[in-house]
Amino acid sequence: MFIDRPWLKLYPPGVASDLPPLPYATLPDMIEECGRKFAGKPAFDSLGVALSFDDILRKSEAFAAYLQKDLGLKKGDRVAVMMPNVLAYPVALFGILRAGMIAVSVNPLYTARELEHQMKDSGAVAIVIFEGSLHVLQEVIGNTQVKHVIRTAVGDLMPFLKSMLINFVIRKVKKLVKPYNMQATPIEDALAKGASLTLDLPKLLSADIAFLQYTGGTTGVSKGAALSHSNVLSNVEQTRIAGGTLFNEGSETGITALPMYHIAALVLNCFFVYRLGGRQILIANPRDIAGFIKTIAHTRFSFLLGVNTLYNALVNHPNIGTVDFSGLKLSSGGAAAIQQAVADRWQKISGKVLVEGYGLTETSGAATICPHTLPVFSATVGIPVPGCDVQIRDDAGNPQPQGQRGQIYISGPNVMTGYWKKPDETATVLGEDGFLATGDVGVLNEQGMLKIVDRVKDMIIVSGFNVYPNEIEEVLAKCPGVLESAAVGVLSAESGESVKVFVVKKDPALTQDQVKSFCREQLTGYKMPREIEFIAALPKSPVGKVLRRELRDAAKKKTA
């Protein structure tokens, strides 16, 4: 078998390629030790209100006791968490884990259909939910096993007057809370009850399931990736070791812009920054770019994790010049391909290289990341994090040599235990050798760094030639007058499929002929867009991934 690992020479000095034994057996072990170690330091900050590490420790223990003693839940019960990045999130999440239960991460923007599927599939018996989503839960709760509902609000766990004002604005001014008619216990009441109860520490093993982390569902029905305590802790340590001496314990500030129900923010923000004893600035709505910039403008932060659409919006906003980048040590991108044009502008504005990484829900977060020592954006997702292995395989499953394209396979201690109660689907992606079939197409370049070409399912086949949407979009990102774009395949009588691009204008005067002319200089004939459609905005997931499937569906309807 071909097992060359050309990336081994690329680890920065002092960064090992292997993962040493984990310092903690379970997530509660880490939560409790760090809570005591960094007691008094700010841990999570929302709208100018911070909870310290000892606040988090005390409140999460109260919540754990409430679940255990007041609600009568037991080890292994599934408890869903459905809210944006607010102070109640880490309190509820850490409490669920400390009670020995399994956290089910849920997107607060889910429709009733999506929520019902996830609740039924996970078998969740309780849910901690943002009040703005209660009307959705109300539609489907009767079809699920959910018996206990704990509601949260943006102003929860803040001083009384500020809490009242914020919640009034959310409910009455912005009208983000629709009417509902169901029983739901305020989390403040749950914490008050739990504070008078004693938590019975559960006997947990590192192999026990900590999370049911559902896949995005952008290519089919969402599945629950079962992640053990060891899986998540491994990725926290892999990330920490990959950073070398870049970060210092107890003195870093991270911007948590991606929602914490997403695997990247959950592990690389929530747990990783907590493990470092750092402060996290919670951004509840990263799509409000003006508000986002206002929040971080006067914060000397050292770590920012985002996606291409977020960085693109930031560099194109007129107020970006107000942000203090003097403390920035690492700006990292993932979840979707970072475009060269965006990375170049970010480096010019912030003074820091945009470092791209790659991972999946099924890998508990990061699987590869670019060395932080690179002087410029590499247009790759870097090298495997310590303890991970990557192979490029052909359609028959044979490992390919450096320079050959194929499907990316990943192995390591961060790879999931399997899909929740889906052994057949697990077997299709997780081999007996421990390698996970990612469904992504990639190549190890001449330096030994991994480059993502595209998703297998997004690939467009024109007259037998493979066309990768990322390549088309990378070209269009450099086209004058284009803000962002997405390429999809549409049926063609002549070539089987042809390329159609959806373009959001930056310059209102931009024409289709200008776009085609620019593409003609950059792309070979079969890759050329045959159709160009200007639209006001691209459909995106809450994390910022462009939903190409929606665009393909829209294109089909027009030709039907």
Side-chain angles (χ1 to χ4, degrees), residues 120-193:
K120 290 168 73 173
D121 188 77
S122 67
V125 293
I127 185 169
V128 190
I129 183 170
F130 172 55
E131 61 181 356
S133 301
L134 278 168
H135 67 285
V136 180
L137 176 63
Q138 181 175 286
E139 289 185 47
V140 300
I141 191 169
N143 301 328
T144 73
Q145 296 180 44
V146 174
K147 298 294 187 292
H148 309 285
V149 180
I150 301 100
R151 67 173 170 84
T152 66
V154 175
D156 284 346
L157 312 186
M158 294 183 179
F160 178 74
L161 289 179
K162 184 158 189 172
S163 173
M164 291 287 288
L165 177 60
I166 289 173
N167 289 339
F168 175 81
V169 171
I170 294 293
R171 295 165 184 165
K172 304 299 182 182
V173 179
K174 295 189 176 182
K175 300 186 187 318
L176 296 179
V177 181
K178 294 183 180 179
Y180 62 89
N181 182 26
M182 63 183 300
Q183 287 295 112
T185 302
I187 195 168
E188 301 270 19
D189 291 354
L191 293 175
K193 287 183 179 179

Side-chain angles (χ1 to χ4, degrees), residues 344-358:
D344 290 345
R345 288 199 63 190
W346 177 259
Q347 185 170 358
K348 184 177 180 180
I349 290 169
S350 71
K352 290 294 179 182
V353 177
L354 186 44
V355 174
E356 193 168 6
Y358 166 69

Side-chain angles (χ1 to χ4, degrees), residues 30 53 77 183 187 241 268 275 392 424 481 497-498 511:
M30 185 193 79
F53 279 82
D77 280 343
Q183 287 295 112
I187 195 168
I241 294 169
L268 304 182
R275 164 80 167 89
I392 306 298
D424 291 343
E497 281 188 302
S498 63
T511 66

Side-chain angles (χ1 to χ4, degrees), residues 232 235-236 239 262-273 364-366:
V232 176
N235 206 236
V236 171
T239 305
H262 186 272
I263 190 62
L266 177 69
V267 176
L268 304 182
N269 277 114
C270 184
F271 287 121
F272 169 63
V273 178
S364 308

